[in-house]
């Protein structure tokens, strides 16, 4: 079984719709992250959470919000989707500390029409 | 703000050729360095990482990378590439602030194509 799972894996939606992407992990890590990947731009950090009560904005948080429902769950929401939010979204986890090696989920491909 | 630069966006090599992908970062403090690989249609997987100690680190599948602090570089190398190495390669840096380790800053990636 995968350690980091994301649902849905693919989603097509229309401009203005609210969308939630979910991430779950069984690694027992405290830290969770959301990134988006665009062709030619690499991965950009949207939000990250060091524990259930700690949420931090990343490089490109505008237009997004997150919820850390439990240690194992971290959701990303687009309150009103727009076409330039079409991208591949990755969730990642890490145990933090000196290592901070991050483990990635399989990604969610989101298309906003 | 820190940044990560990958020198080549697209690289095409023949099988058995040697590979070197460049990566430079701009942050002057303590950093951890990573190379991730993304095979077509798959998620990111860790190739190798540097935290401290020997600046030459070895990863999976015959890859290695050398950390040169004076040059702010962490170049990825492989002596002889295979067709199965065709993938997107990302260099990433994690810096440390007063609160501990932050998220990763990624380079824009290098798309490597190995021709049979």
């Amino acid at each position: 079984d995968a350690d980091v799972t994301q649902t849905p894996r693919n989603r097509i939606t229309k401009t203005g719709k609210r969308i939630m992407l979910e991430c779950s992990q069984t690694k027992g890590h405290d830290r969770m992250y959301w990134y988006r990947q665009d062709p030619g731009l690499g991965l950009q950090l949207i939000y990250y959470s060091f524990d259930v009560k700690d949420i931090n904005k990343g490089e490109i948080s505008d237009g997004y919000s997150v919820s850390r429902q439990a240690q194992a769950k971290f959701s990303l929401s687009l309150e009103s989707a727009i076409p330039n939010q079409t991208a591949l979204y990755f969730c990642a986890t890490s145990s933090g500390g000196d290592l901070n090696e991050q483990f990635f989920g399989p990604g969610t491909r989101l298309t906003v029409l | 703000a820190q940044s990560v630069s990958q020198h080549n966006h697209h690289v095409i090599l023949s099988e058995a050729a040697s590979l070197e992908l460049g990566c430079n970062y701009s942050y002057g403090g303590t950093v951890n360095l990573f190379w991730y690989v993304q095979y077509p249609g798959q998620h990111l997987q860790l190739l190798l990482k540097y935290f401290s100690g020997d600046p030459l680190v070895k990863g999976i599948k015959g890859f290695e990378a050398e950390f040169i602090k004076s040059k702010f570089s962490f170049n990825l190398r492989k002596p002889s590439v295979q067709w199965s190495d065709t993938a997107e390669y990302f260099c990433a840096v994690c810096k440390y602030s007063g609160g501990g380790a932050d998220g990763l800053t990624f380079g824009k990636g290098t798309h490597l194509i190995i021709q049979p």
Side-chain angles (χ1 to χ4, degrees):
Chain A
D1 287 341
D3 295 319
V4 184
T5 57
Q6 293 182 231
T7 56
R9 294 293 310 280
N10 287 282
R11 182 71 183 269
I12 300 173
T13 191
K14 294 182 179 179
T15 297
K17 294 291 187 181
R18 184 178 187 275
I19 296 296
M20 178 180 285
L21 309 183
E22 299 188 351
C23 177
S24 295
Q25 53 115 345
T26 58
K27 298 186 76 67
H29 288 166
D30 286 328
R31 300 186 174 196
M32 298 186 73
Y33 309 79
W34 276 105
Y35 294 88
R36 65 175 278 174
Q37 182 181 22
D38 298 276
L41 293 181
L43 280 77
Q44 296 172 281
L45 183 63
I46 306 172
Y47 270 96
Y48 59 106
S49 169
F50 285 177
D51 64 40
V52 174
K53 297 181 180 179
D54 183 78
I55 303 290
N56 303 280
K57 291 183 177 181
E59 309 166 62
I60 54 163
S61 58
D62 288 348
Y64 301 94
S65 62
V66 290
S67 173
R68 186 79 184 268
Q69 302 95 322
Q71 187 207 36
K73 296 183 182 295
F74 192 36
S75 300
L76 176 72
S77 293
L78 288 68
E79 296 300 326
S80 180
I82 56 177
N84 74 3
Q85 291 177 313
T86 293
L88 189 55
Y89 290 84
F90 287 102
C91 174
T93 75
S94 77
S95 60
D98 289 341
L99 296 178
N100 204 39
E101 175 183 342
Q102 295 189 14
F103 297 84
F104 286 81
T108 294
R109 185 168 297 281
L110 176 66
T111 303
V112 184
L113 302 175
Chain B
Q2 67 175 356
S3 65
V4 179
S5 298
Q6 292 185 235
H7 307 158
N8 309 98
H9 296 301
H10 291 90
V11 174
I12 301 174
L13 294 173
S14 298
E15 277 192 314
S18 65
L19 170 71
E20 180 160 3
L21 301 182
C23 173
N24 286 90
Y25 62 95
S26 63
Y27 186 65
T30 301
V31 294
N32 289 345
L33 301 159
F34 304 84
W35 275 97
Y36 282 87
V37 61
Q38 186 178 29
Y39 296 104
Q42 297 188 26
H43 61 283
L44 276 77
Q45 302 172 40
L46 183 69
L47 265 182
L48 46 77
K49 59 194 176 190
Y50 172 80
F51 294 103
S52 63
D54 189 345
L56 184 63
V57 293
K58 295 191 183 298
I60 61 172
K61 304 187 180 185
F63 286 91
E64 64 179 30
E66 184 175 13
F67 171 53
I68 303 179
K69 189 174 182 179
S70 61
K71 295 184 178 180
F72 298 92
S73 70
F74 190 55
N75 293 350
L76 180 71
R77 300 195 292 249
K78 186 171 183 179
S80 177
V81 295
Q82 301 172 310
W83 177 80
S84 58
D85 292 324
T86 293
E88 191 94 22
Y89 292 81
F90 295 96
C91 180
V93 173
C94 175
K95 69 177 179 71
Y96 287 81
S97 61
D102 293 337
L104 296 180
T105 298
F106 283 84
K108 294 184 178 182
T110 297
H111 187 200
L112 175 65
I113 296 174
I114 307 301
Q115 297 177 329

